[in-house]
Amino acid sequence: MDVSKHYWIDVAIQTPAHSQIAGLLSYRCLFEVQAGQLVRVPLGQREVLGVVWAVSDSAPADMPAKSVRDVTGTLEGLPPLDSAWRQLVQFSAQYYQRSLGEVALSALPPQLRELSSEQLARRLKKQKSDRTVLTQTGPALSEEQQAVLAQMTSAPGPFLLFGSTGSGKTEVYLQAVARMLQADPQAQALLMVPEINLTPQLEERVQARFGAEAVVSMHSGMTPAQRLKGWLAAHAGHARIVLGTRMAIFASMPHLRLIVVDEEHDPSYKQQEGARYSARDLAVYRGKLQNAQVLLASATPSLESWHHSRPAAEGGRYLRLHMPSRIGTGLLPKVRRVDMNHQAKKAVLSAPLLAALQERVERGEQCMLLLNRRGYAPVLHCADCGWKSECKHCSAFRVFHKIDRTLRCHHCGMTERVPRACPACGNADIAPIGRGTEQLEEHLGELLAHVVRPDGTPIRIARIDADTTRLKGALESQLAQVHSGEVDILVGTQMIAKGHDFRRITLVAAINPDTALFSSDFRAPERLFALLMQAAGRAGRDARQSASSEMWVQTFHPTHPLFEALKKHDYPAFAQSELTERIAADLPPISHQALLRADARSQDVAQGLLNAARETLEAQLSADPATAELVMQVSLYPAVPMSMQRVADVERAQMLLESPHRMALQKVLLHLHGVLHQLRSDPEHKGVIRWLVDVDPQAI
Ligand code: ADP
Ligand code: ZN
Ligand code: ZN
C-alpha cells in the first residue's frame, strides 16, 4: 500500500490519571490535517475525541506502520485550536504534572465529544457572526481611575491593581475593555471572577455595558448546551468578552488582548482536582503567550502577587497600580474590636454589638453578621459519658442541623437523624457545643424579637449559606431580597462577604474570627485578613451612609497585629509583616512548594508509598552527577498524615517538597513521576488507592 499521501499525526486524547500514556497517541490520517484540529479516533473498541498535536509526513520510527490506526473523521467547520492555546495546555500539563491529553480534553466543552457531524454543523450554522457590541458610556472616571487607565496604556504589564473595596475597580475593567474593543475591531477580553453565581450583578453590569450579544459566560453552573454555545462563540472570535470562573482561562480566544483577574487573591482560582492549576498564575503566562495585557486586581492581593509587584529595582515583575479611595466621598467603615474577655461567659453576641444592631435596625439600616460555620452546632455532646457526634468515616465531627434534625458530615456527606438519646450511654440529655449560622439566626431572633423598624413592622432576619442556597436560583432571590431592603439583618458564611455591591448595609460584624489566628496553615492569617477586609467592604458602599458605617470584630485577642492592621485598613502593613515572617521561615512566595499526597485504606500504606518515593528518588538523583545537585536544592520532607486525615474511610498522607528554585522543583517532580510508576507495581504498595501532586498548593 502506498502510504506516501498519508499523514502521521500525534493526537491528544483523554487518558485516565496515572496511565503511562502521556496523552499523545499516533494515528494515520488519510486526508490533510493541521495541528490544533479536532478529530475522532479509535481507541480500543471506542471512538474518542482528540486534538491533533503534531503532523508529519513520515511514519513514527518507533512503531510499525501497520499497527497505527486511522483517524475516523474530523470535526468539520471548526477552525483549529491555535498554537497559543496548545502551548498553554502543554505548559499547564507539564507544570501541574498531568497528562497533556487530560488537560487538553478537559479544557473543551464536554458536548463536543458527543455531537455527530450533523449536530455540530447545525450548531455552527446557528452562530451569529455579526454580534453587535454596544459600549454604553460609563460614569465620568475618578482621578484615581483615570490614572490607572493611563498607566495601562504606557506600560505592558502585568499589572496588580491594588484598590480599596468600592474604589471602582470594576469600572476600570469595563473601561479597559471598552478601550481595547475600540482600538481593535477583533479584540477579545477575558474577565475572570472567583465565583459567578455569587456576583450575578457583575454579569448584568457587563451585559448592560456591552450588550448581551457580545458577552458569553463560562462556569460550571451552565448546561452542557450553554457551555458549548459560549465556547464556540469565543473560539470563532464572535464573543468579544468572556466572563468566567477559573475554567475560562482555557477558553479558546484567538484574539485575546486583555485578561482581568478580579479578586485575584481568591483561593477558588486554584483548581482542587485533576490538574490542580492556578488560573491566576496561568493568566499571567497566557498573557505573555498571546501578547494580551494582564490585570490582576484586589483590595487584599495574595502575598505572591504583592511580592511580585515590589519595585522593579528590587526584582518586581508586575507593575503595582493603586486606588486607595472609595468612589465619591465614601469612607471605609470604622473598625471596632470587642474584647470578648470582658463579655458574659459563653456570650455569642456581645452586649455592645446587640445594642448597635438594634439601633441600626430602628434607623432602617441593614446589618450583616459573618460566622464561618454553617449548621446549628458543629458537634453534639453527651456530658455523662463524653460521646461526641463523630463521623464513622472521617476524622471530623458531624454537624447538627436543627432544621431537619440531622447530623451531617460536611466531608463525606453521611447524614443521620439526630438520636433521641446518647448512642453510647442512653442519656437523653445530649447538647450542642459551639454555634453555626443556623443557631446564630435563631438566637438573634430571640434576642431582638422586640425590635421594630421605623415603619413599626417587626425586624426581619435572614440567613445565606450553603444550606439555604442549595436550590437553583435560591441565592439570586435571597440576594435580591437583601438588595431591595426586605432584610434587616443578614446572617451568613463567607459567601456573603464576597464582592456584593450592597447599598444599604452600614454595619458588618465578624462573630468569631479567632480560630484562624492560630491555625497550622501558614496562609490562614492571610485568608482571614482578606475575608475581614472584604466583609468590611460590604459596609457603607453608599457614600451618604459611609461616615457612620462600622466593621465589628468580636475577639479574645483584640491587640493581635492582624486586627491592628485591619483597624487602619492597612493591607500594606499587614503584608509587610507577613512577608517578613515568610522570608524568615523560607515559605512562599520566597520558596516554592509541591505536595505529594497518597490515599490508602491505612495510614501506614499511604505514608509507606510517600517515604519509599522519597528514598528512591533521593538515591536515584544522587547517583547521577547530572542530577545530584537537585538533592541539595530541593527539600523532601517525611510523610505525615494530612490535617483531615480520614475522609470517607480513606486515609490520607502527604509529603512536602520545597525549594527556592522553581525549575529545580519542577525537575524533581518529573523524576518523582517516574519513581511513583516504578513503585506502583511493588506488592508492598498494592493498597494505595491513588496519589496526586499539587504544585503551588494553597493549603498545607
Ligand atoms: P470595586 O469593584 O472596587 O469594589 P465598584 O467598581 O463596584 O468597586 O464601584 C463601587 C460603586 O461605585 C459601584 O456602584 C459603581 O457603579 C460606582 N462607581 C464606580 N466608578 C464610578 C465613577 N467613576 N463615578 C461614579 N460611580 C462610580
Ligand atoms: Zn464523614
Ligand atoms: Zn452518653
Side-chain angles (χ1 to χ4, degrees):
M1 188 166 79
D2 174 20
V3 294
S4 62
K5 286 193 217 89
H6 306 324
Y7 296 88
W8 304 92
I9 62 176
D10 289 333
V11 180
I13 56 158
Q14 179 89 53
T15 46
H18 303 320
S19 69
Q20 293 279 22
I21 314 168
L24 284 185
L25 290 183
S26 297
Y27 288 92
R28 193 175 67 158
C29 194
L30 303 172
F31 45 85
E32 197 175 340
V33 281
Q34 290 176 46
Q37 221 165 316
L38 289 162
V39 288
R40 294 196 188 84
V41 294
L43 180 75
Q45 301 298 311
R46 293 180 302 145
E47 188 182 279
V48 298
L49 182 71
V51 182
V52 178
W53 222 259
V55 183
S56 125
D57 294 333
S58 50
D62 56 344
M63 235 173 163
K66 266 205 328 233
S67 72
V68 177
R69 300 172 76 181
D70 284 340
V71 169
T72 325
T74 166
L75 268 58
E76 278 142 43
L78 210 56
L81 291 152
D82 61 21
S83 66
W85 185 87
R86 281 177 278 133
Q87 201 174 326
L88 174 71
V89 165
Q90 192 146 356
F91 170 80
S92 309
Q94 193 186 335
Y95 188 81
Y96 295 105
Q97 305 281 315
R98 303 296 289 199
S99 82
L100 184 57
E102 180 194 359
V103 178
L105 272 292
S106 54
L108 299 174
Q111 239 189 13
L112 265 188
R113 303 181 203 185
E114 292 142 29
L115 293 186
S116 68
S117 298
E118 298 74 47
Q119 288 169 317
L120 178 65
R122 238 177 292 140
R123 299 283 197 291
L124 289 170
K125 229 174 106 188
K126 270 204 296 202
Q127 281 201 335
K128 285 186 83 168
S129 55
D130 54 344
R131 287 166 171 251
T132 41
V133 187
L134 284 173
T135 314
Q136 303 279 358
T137 41
L141 294 178
S142 72
E143 268 174 38
E144 289 177 4
Q145 288 172 325
Q146 284 176 27
V148 160
L149 282 160
Q151 279 177 286
M152 285 181 69
T153 38
S154 54
F159 304 96
L160 174 67
L161 172 54
F162 168 49
S164 302
T165 50
S167 62
K169 293 188 289 298
T170 313
E171 194 54 44
V172 168
Y173 316 153
L174 298 180
Q175 301 265 359
V177 171
R179 205 167 59 183
M180 179 210 63
L181 293 181
Q182 265 158 19
D184 177 348
Q186 286 200 307
Q188 293 178 295
L190 174 58
L191 271 179
M192 294 212 291
V193 290
E195 281 155 279
I196 264 188
N197 48 354
L198 293 184
T199 46
Q201 273 181 326
L202 180 64
E203 208 167 355
E204 285 163 27
R205 223 165 132 187
V206 179
Q207 290 185 351
R209 186 67 59 89
F210 300 104
E213 283 196 351
V215 187
V216 299
S217 295
M218 279 190 196
H219 56 89
S220 55
M222 296 165 65
T223 64
Q226 288 170 328
R227 263 175 79 173
L228 177 66
K229 193 170 169 213
W231 186 88
L232 288 173
H235 178 57
H238 302 153
R240 306 294 298 284
I241 300 160
V242 171
L243 177 63
T245 51
R246 60 172 180 264
M247 59 153 60
I249 191 59
F250 289 112
S252 166
M253 299 178 72
H255 306 292
L256 184 64
R257 292 292 166 268
L258 174 68
I259 309 177
V260 175
V261 184
D262 187 27
E263 310 288 4
E264 67 88 33
H265 64 280
D266 199 294
S268 67
Y269 283 119
K270 186 80 158 56
Q271 167 77 17
Q272 292 299 346
E273 58 190 41
R276 298 180 160 227
Y277 62 87
S278 156
R280 182 234 299 152
D281 296 349
L282 288 181
V284 174
Y285 180 83
R286 186 172 185 177
K288 219 181 295 169
L289 210 57
Q290 276 184 286
N291 202 15
Q293 264 199 334
V294 177
L295 178 68
L296 314 178
S298 174
T300 51
S302 62
L303 282 183
E304 280 79 2
S305 299
W306 188 251
H307 186 61
H308 288 325
S309 66
R310 65 197 184 278
E314 293 166 28
R317 298 187 280 116
Y318 303 172
L319 184 62
R320 194 182 292 169
L321 311 172
H322 196 187
M323 298 206 305
S325 323
R326 276 191 157 179
I327 286 294
T329 52
L331 302 170
L332 286 166
K334 182 171 158 44
V335 174
R336 304 191 49 171
R337 291 162 289 183
V338 182
D339 186 345
M340 295 304 277
N341 297 299
H342 300 150
Q343 294 298 314
K345 242 185 151 188
K346 295 205 172 165
V348 182
L349 291 158
S350 60
L353 177 58
L354 269 176
L357 291 172
Q358 171 164 357
E359 195 182 308
R360 299 270 168 177
V361 173
E362 285 171 349
R363 287 211 301 256
E365 297 172 21
Q366 278 181 328
C367 304
M368 185 172 118
L369 301 189
L370 201 64
L371 181 63
N372 242 347
R373 193 163 242 172
R374 65 192 168 87
Y376 191 84
V379 53
L380 274 189
H381 173 240
C382 167
D384 276 5
C385 75
W387 173 86
K388 283 188 176 145
S389 56
E390 266 157 6
C391 176
K392 278 202 280 282
H393 309 289
C394 308
S395 41
F397 293 114
R398 283 173 301 158
V399 174
F400 173 38
H401 290 254
K402 192 174 178 186
I403 242 168
D404 52 4
R405 299 211 57 85
T406 55
L407 286 177
R408 276 189 238 157
C409 174
H410 289 181
H411 300 279
C412 72
M414 185 205 174
T415 303
E416 269 179 2
R417 300 275 306 162
V418 169
R420 287 176 184 283
C422 170
C425 75
N427 169 22
D429 196 19
I430 44 178
I433 310 182
R435 266 156 238 265
T437 46
E438 211 184 300
Q439 190 174 173
L440 181 62
E441 180 191 19
E442 179 188 279
H443 198 55
L444 207 57
E446 289 160 9
L447 291 169
L448 298 179
H450 59 286
V451 175
V452 289
R453 311 175 57 248
D455 65 3
T457 55
I459 183 171
R460 297 151 316 174
I461 299 167
R463 169 167 59 97
I464 296 185
D465 57 28
D467 294 318
T468 68
T469 54
R470 237 172 265 284
L471 296 176
K472 200 170 164 57
L475 178 65
E476 285 83 347
S477 68
Q478 287 167 26
L479 286 174
Q481 285 186 341
V482 182
H483 285 297
S484 67
E486 288 164 56
V487 172
D488 303 309
I489 300 184
L490 175 63
V491 174
T493 52
Q494 57 177 325
M495 224 176 192
I496 58 174
K498 304 251 168 163
H500 310 288
D501 192 15
F502 294 126
R503 309 304 295 176
R504 302 162 193 258
I505 287 182
T506 60
L507 185 152
V508 173
I511 301 306
N512 179 20
D514 283 351
T515 41
L517 293 178
F518 309 103
S519 162
S520 61
D521 185 342
F522 68 87
R523 281 196 180 83
E526 181 184 350
R527 295 250 165 78
L528 176 63
F529 191 80
L531 175 67
L532 295 178
M533 285 281 278
Q534 203 162 29
R538 299 316 107 205
R541 292 181 74 82
D542 188 331
R544 286 165 298 179
Q545 293 180 318
S546 67
S548 70
S549 67
E550 289 174 342
M551 166 81 198
W552 287 58
V553 176
Q554 297 194 142
T555 172
F556 288 95
H557 309 275
T559 57
H560 194 285
L562 189 147
F563 296 133
E564 296 284 351
L566 181 73
K567 183 163 178 59
K568 301 189 194 105
H569 302 283
D570 195 350
Y571 170 81
F574 170 76
Q576 190 54 49
S577 76
E578 281 294 298
L579 267 178
T580 309
E581 281 182 31
R582 300 266 187 102
I583 291 168
D586 272 336
L587 288 168
I590 307 309
S591 71
H592 305 281
Q593 296 181 327
L595 278 180
L596 172 63
R597 183 178 124 194
D599 292 358
R601 289 288 165 211
S602 88
Q603 188 60 224
D604 280 353
V605 171
Q607 290 190 19
L609 177 77
L610 301 182
N611 287 327
R614 180 171 50 105
E615 283 153 24
T616 314
L617 183 66
E618 281 179 345
Q620 279 187 9
L621 293 176
S622 328
D624 183 348
T627 55
E629 202 192 1
L630 291 175
V631 185
M632 311 298 296
Q633 290 174 332
V634 180
S635 314
L636 296 133
Y637 291 89
V640 291
M642 285 182 66
S643 54
M644 263 302 291
Q645 180 176 336
R646 192 165 51 103
V647 171
D649 290 321
V650 173
E651 287 284 336
R652 299 141 28 118
Q654 67 182 27
M655 177 176 103
L656 178 66
L657 296 88
E658 200 173 59
S659 174
H661 311 288
R662 200 187 282 280
M663 274 315 295
L665 181 60
Q666 281 284 315
K667 282 184 197 158
V668 166
L669 288 174
L670 196 64
H671 285 282
L672 180 62
H673 188 78
V675 167
L676 285 164
H677 278 288
Q678 272 173 331
L679 291 175
R680 203 190 176 194
S681 43
D682 189 333
E684 197 186 325
H685 305 299
K686 269 267 173 299
V688 172
I689 299 167
R690 76 187 135 240
W691 73 77
L692 56 91
V693 176
D694 191 349
V695 183
D696 304 329
Q698 285 300 294
I700 302 268

